Amino acid sequence: MRLLRAPHRALLLCAAAAALAACSAPGSVSADRPAGTSAAHGASPSVTADARRSVVTFAGASPLGAEDVRRTVDRMRARAKALGLYEVRVEGRAGGVTVTGRTADEKSLTDLGASGRLGFRPVLAEETVGATPAPQPSPSAAATHGRAVTEGLRPRAAGSASASAGPGTPGGDASDAALQARFTAMDCSARERPAAETEATARESVVACGTDGGGTGSRAKFALGPTAVDGAHVTSAESVRDAQSGGRLVRLRFDSAGARQLSALTASQAMNTPPQNELAIVLDGVVISAPSVSRPLDGGTVDISGGFTPASADRLAATIGSGALPAPVSVTDVTRLPGT
């Protein structure tokens, strides 16, 4: 598809270069390659001679059930494999998960616990809150700049106004008023942890922070409708070369149900005025892109591009491609073991 540009902030959730690697032993993933070579794109591995190990323990707000533990372990292993992290062991233990790997890769080990929940929501209202984007912190996320690029997606015209009436409609019900109050109170200039996306909140209208859809790169706050296309319908996410710029982009492909939902959503949005013609791509509670929609998006493919290094595009693709964790987890302990 021909690509048009729109800015966004992408949450990049790990810190190693990507490569497919084979599982070596039960519960572990490894990349079998010579010392000094990389998993992908010619980058050097973090450290090859350091034998120190770290054990990172993850837990949910309440102990995870056996099925959630199993699925969490499987998805963390998939992320480690896709990112070329080697000598990593992921195990389920007592309602939680432990990840053991090289201390040199400790940040990447903790990043394996990012929720990775993706959703596509209609924008109801948007307000730019600053001229310069501020970092959006997260226990397991680092930010970079980029653009959402897909034929039919484009930046909101500079100077276009946000919906002055707010997220509700005139004479709306109590839920509209409550959403309006939350939108007004939202402070996206503050360095706060974003609210975690869950299956329950996917069915609700929410407020969120991100980068505006007008091409300025400014911080913005959004009121968003319920998730119209869930990231569970993404069948693949890969880091590929952008034929136009020579850089990297992340290409998402959807199953047939997701493609139909995306087409229906964008057909409706294309008839709206800004900012209600914008498509918010939300990852772990943060709007990573909000391009406007000029026509229905058919074909079931969306590209996210711009400002990516090869490794950062790999990280985003690995997180999305592995699927969301079944329940949010956080790091409860990091133990560093002496080298042998």
Side-chain angles (χ1 to χ4, degrees):
M1 302 179 74
R2 187 69 179 170
L3 306 179
L4 296 176
R5 309 291 182 179
H8 84 269
R9 157 166 292 167
L11 294 190
L12 307 175
L13 304 167
C14 299
L20 295 180
C23 290
S24 60
S28 68
V29 293
S30 66
D32 186 11
R33 59 181 183 270
T37 63
S38 67
H41 308 303
S44 297
S46 51
V47 177
T48 57
D50 193 342
R52 293 176 301 167
R53 310 286 285 175
S54 291
V55 181
V56 182
T57 301
F58 297 89
S62 57
L64 302 180
E67 179 61 16
D68 282 348
V69 168
R70 183 192 66 78
R71 291 168 62 200
T72 298
V73 167
D74 287 347
R75 290 178 184 182
M76 285 188 179
R77 287 176 183 169
R79 292 177 184 181
K81 180 178 178 180
L83 286 164
L85 293 174
Y86 56 99
E87 302 175 11
V88 172
R89 181 173 294 274
V90 183
E91 301 173 295
R93 293 186 178 174
V97 176
T98 62
V99 177
T100 305
R102 300 183 309 162
T103 297
D105 295 328
E106 188 173 282
K107 177 61 169 63
S108 297
L109 301 180
T110 62
D111 286 349
L112 295 178
S115 176
R117 184 170 292 277
L118 181 72
F120 297 76
R121 293 174 178 263
V123 173
L124 304 179
E126 176 186 343
E127 180 181 319
T128 301
V129 297
T132 303
Q136 179 67 50
S138 170
S140 55
T144 191
H145 298 293
R147 294 179 290 245
V149 294
T150 291
E151 186 179 7
L153 298 184
R154 61 187 180 189
R156 172 166 53 84
S160 295
S162 296
S164 58
T169 55
D173 60 18
S175 62
D176 290 328
L179 183 63
Q180 175 69 70
R182 288 157 52 204
F183 178 72
T184 300
M186 170 73 83
D187 180 7
C188 287
S189 64
R191 299 190 175 192
E192 298 177 354
R193 180 180 176 180
E197 287 275 302
T198 66
E199 291 183 7
T201 58
R203 297 188 292 269
E204 302 171 351
S205 294
V206 299
V207 293
C209 297
T211 302
D212 78 355
T216 67
S218 298
R219 294 279 294 160
K221 62 181 178 179
F222 298 84
L224 306 173
T227 297
V229 187
D230 192 274
H233 292 292
V234 173
T235 58
S236 69
E238 60 179 331
S239 168
V240 300
R241 182 178 180 274
D242 185 337
Q244 285 190 332
S245 70
R248 306 296 296 183
L249 59 83
V250 176
R251 176 161 295 154
L252 308 182
R253 292 186 174 88
F254 295 79
D255 62 20
S256 58
R260 288 194 300 270
Q261 292 169 3
L262 185 65
S263 178
L265 170 64
T266 54
S268 173
Q269 287 185 295
M271 297 185 292
N272 294 338
T273 57
Q276 293 175 351
N277 66 339
E278 292 179 15
L279 174 67
I281 305 173
V282 185
L283 180 65
D284 289 344
V286 174
V287 176
I288 66 170
S289 177
S292 64
V293 177
S294 62
R295 65 168 182 78
L297 298 182
D298 300 315
T301 300
V302 169
D303 292 340
I304 305 174
S305 177
F308 289 128
T309 64
S312 66
D314 293 337
R315 293 194 293 263
L316 182 58
T319 301
I320 295 175
S322 64
L325 300 185
V329 297
S330 58
V331 175
T332 58
D333 183 70
V334 177
T335 302
R336 291 173 182 165
L337 306 178
T340 57

PDB file of all heavy atoms in Angstrom, residues 206-221:
ATOM      1  N   VAL A 206     -12.602   5.768  27.425  1.00  0.00           N
ATOM      2  CA  VAL A 206     -11.510   6.055  28.347  1.00  0.00           C
ATOM      3  C   VAL A 206     -10.867   7.386  27.993  1.00  0.00           C
ATOM      4  O   VAL A 206     -11.113   7.954  26.917  1.00  0.00           O
ATOM      5  CB  VAL A 206     -10.430   4.949  28.312  1.00  0.00           C
ATOM      6  CG1 VAL A 206     -11.009   3.602  28.725  1.00  0.00           C
ATOM      7  CG2 VAL A 206      -9.777   4.853  26.934  1.00  0.00           C
ATOM      8  N   VAL A 207     -10.030   7.888  28.887  1.00  0.00           N
ATOM      9  CA  VAL A 207      -9.157   9.014  28.596  1.00  0.00           C
ATOM     10  C   VAL A 207      -7.729   8.497  28.614  1.00  0.00           C
ATOM     11  O   VAL A 207      -7.399   7.555  29.337  1.00  0.00           O
ATOM     12  CB  VAL A 207      -9.343  10.167  29.606  1.00  0.00           C
ATOM     13  CG1 VAL A 207     -10.726  10.778  29.450  1.00  0.00           C
ATOM     14  CG2 VAL A 207      -9.124   9.703  31.043  1.00  0.00           C
ATOM     15  N   ALA A 208      -6.872   9.099  27.796  1.00  0.00           N
ATOM     16  CA  ALA A 208      -5.500   8.615  27.675  1.00  0.00           C
ATOM     17  C   ALA A 208      -4.610   9.748  27.204  1.00  0.00           C
ATOM     18  O   ALA A 208      -5.073  10.764  26.678  1.00  0.00           O
ATOM     19  CB  ALA A 208      -5.427   7.445  26.680  1.00  0.00           C
ATOM     20  N   CYS A 209      -3.305   9.553  27.400  1.00  0.00           N
ATOM     21  CA  CYS A 209      -2.307  10.517  26.944  1.00  0.00           C
ATOM     22  C   CYS A 209      -1.582   9.943  25.732  1.00  0.00           C
ATOM     23  O   CYS A 209      -1.591   8.744  25.482  1.00  0.00           O
ATOM     24  CB  CYS A 209      -1.298  10.814  28.048  1.00  0.00           C
ATOM     25  SG  CYS A 209      -2.019  11.585  29.527  1.00  0.00           S
ATOM     26  N   GLY A 210      -0.928  10.819  24.990  1.00  0.00           N
ATOM     27  CA  GLY A 210      -0.150  10.387  23.843  1.00  0.00           C
ATOM     28  C   GLY A 210       0.422  11.585  23.118  1.00  0.00           C
ATOM     29  O   GLY A 210       0.630  12.638  23.715  1.00  0.00           O
ATOM     30  N   THR A 211       0.651  11.419  21.824  1.00  0.00           N
ATOM     31  CA  THR A 211       1.158  12.497  20.973  1.00  0.00           C
ATOM     32  C   THR A 211       0.078  12.879  19.984  1.00  0.00           C
ATOM     33  O   THR A 211      -0.612  12.025  19.458  1.00  0.00           O
ATOM     34  CB  THR A 211       2.424  12.041  20.222  1.00  0.00           C
ATOM     35  OG1 THR A 211       3.406  11.647  21.172  1.00  0.00           O
ATOM     36  CG2 THR A 211       2.979  13.154  19.365  1.00  0.00           C
ATOM     37  N   ASP A 212      -0.064  14.191  19.728  1.00  0.00           N
ATOM     38  CA  ASP A 212      -1.207  14.647  18.934  1.00  0.00           C
ATOM     39  C   ASP A 212      -1.135  14.137  17.500  1.00  0.00           C
ATOM     40  O   ASP A 212      -0.115  13.647  17.033  1.00  0.00           O
ATOM     41  CB  ASP A 212      -1.346  16.176  18.987  1.00  0.00           C
ATOM     42  CG  ASP A 212      -0.361  16.914  18.091  1.00  0.00           C
ATOM     43  OD1 ASP A 212       0.503  16.269  17.481  1.00  0.00           O
ATOM     44  OD2 ASP A 212      -0.478  18.148  18.009  1.00  0.00           O
ATOM     45  N   GLY A 213      -2.269  14.245  16.810  1.00  0.00           N
ATOM     46  CA  GLY A 213      -2.363  13.758  15.436  1.00  0.00           C
ATOM     47  C   GLY A 213      -2.130  14.825  14.397  1.00  0.00           C
ATOM     48  O   GLY A 213      -2.406  14.611  13.232  1.00  0.00           O
ATOM     49  N   GLY A 214      -1.603  15.986  14.801  1.00  0.00           N
ATOM     50  CA  GLY A 214      -1.500  17.097  13.867  1.00  0.00           C
ATOM     51  C   GLY A 214      -0.136  17.351  13.288  1.00  0.00           C
ATOM     52  O   GLY A 214       0.061  18.331  12.589  1.00  0.00           O
ATOM     53  N   GLY A 215       0.834  16.490  13.597  1.00  0.00           N
ATOM     54  CA  GLY A 215       2.144  16.658  12.997  1.00  0.00           C
ATOM     55  C   GLY A 215       3.102  17.499  13.810  1.00  0.00           C
ATOM     56  O   GLY A 215       4.221  17.743  13.379  1.00  0.00           O
ATOM     57  N   THR A 216       2.698  17.989  14.989  1.00  0.00           N
ATOM     58  CA  THR A 216       3.568  18.859  15.778  1.00  0.00           C
ATOM     59  C   THR A 216       4.420  18.085  16.763  1.00  0.00           C
ATOM     60  O   THR A 216       5.388  18.617  17.284  1.00  0.00           O
ATOM     61  CB  THR A 216       2.729  19.877  16.567  1.00  0.00           C
ATOM     62  OG1 THR A 216       1.956  19.182  17.562  1.00  0.00           O
ATOM     63  CG2 THR A 216       1.801  20.643  15.643  1.00  0.00           C
ATOM     64  N   GLY A 217       4.084  16.841  17.042  1.00  0.00           N
ATOM     65  CA  GLY A 217       4.816  16.079  18.044  1.00  0.00           C
ATOM     66  C   GLY A 217       4.511  16.504  19.454  1.00  0.00           C
ATOM     67  O   GLY A 217       5.238  16.148  20.388  1.00  0.00           O
ATOM     68  N   SER A 218       3.463  17.272  19.657  1.00  0.00           N
ATOM     69  CA  SER A 218       3.124  17.770  20.988  1.00  0.00           C
ATOM     70  C   SER A 218       2.414  16.703  21.807  1.00  0.00           C
ATOM     71  O   SER A 218       1.727  15.834  21.272  1.00  0.00           O
ATOM     72  CB  SER A 218       2.211  19.000  20.875  1.00  0.00           C
ATOM     73  OG  SER A 218       2.858  20.046  20.197  1.00  0.00           O
ATOM     74  N   ARG A 219       2.551  16.816  23.109  1.00  0.00           N
ATOM     75  CA  ARG A 219       1.791  15.969  24.010  1.00  0.00           C
ATOM     76  C   ARG A 219       0.314  16.319  23.890  1.00  0.00           C
ATOM     77  O   ARG A 219      -0.053  17.466  23.646  1.00  0.00           O
ATOM     78  CB  ARG A 219       2.248  16.176  25.449  1.00  0.00           C
ATOM     79  CG  ARG A 219       3.683  15.724  25.709  1.00  0.00           C
ATOM     80  CD  ARG A 219       3.768  14.237  25.930  1.00  0.00           C
ATOM     81  NE  ARG A 219       3.084  13.864  27.151  1.00  0.00           N
ATOM     82  CZ  ARG A 219       2.657  12.643  27.423  1.00  0.00           C
ATOM     83  NH1 ARG A 219       2.803  11.686  26.528  1.00  0.00           N
ATOM     84  NH2 ARG A 219       2.076  12.364  28.562  1.00  0.00           N
ATOM     85  N   ALA A 220      -0.533  15.320  24.038  1.00  0.00           N
ATOM     86  CA  ALA A 220      -1.962  15.547  23.915  1.00  0.00           C
ATOM     87  C   ALA A 220      -2.708  14.600  24.844  1.00  0.00           C
ATOM     88  O   ALA A 220      -2.180  13.568  25.257  1.00  0.00           O
ATOM     89  CB  ALA A 220      -2.421  15.339  22.467  1.00  0.00           C
ATOM     90  N   LYS A 221      -3.925  15.004  25.164  1.00  0.00           N
ATOM     91  CA  LYS A 221      -4.816  14.095  25.891  1.00  0.00           C
ATOM     92  C   LYS A 221      -6.011  13.798  25.003  1.00  0.00           C
ATOM     93  O   LYS A 221      -6.413  14.612  24.166  1.00  0.00           O
ATOM     94  CB  LYS A 221      -5.247  14.682  27.228  1.00  0.00           C
ATOM     95  CG  LYS A 221      -6.046  15.982  27.181  1.00  0.00           C
ATOM     96  CD  LYS A 221      -6.376  16.425  28.605  1.00  0.00           C
ATOM     97  CE  LYS A 221      -7.139  17.753  28.618  1.00  0.00           C
ATOM     98  NZ  LYS A 221      -7.464  18.160  30.012  1.00  0.00           N
TER      99      LYS A 221
END
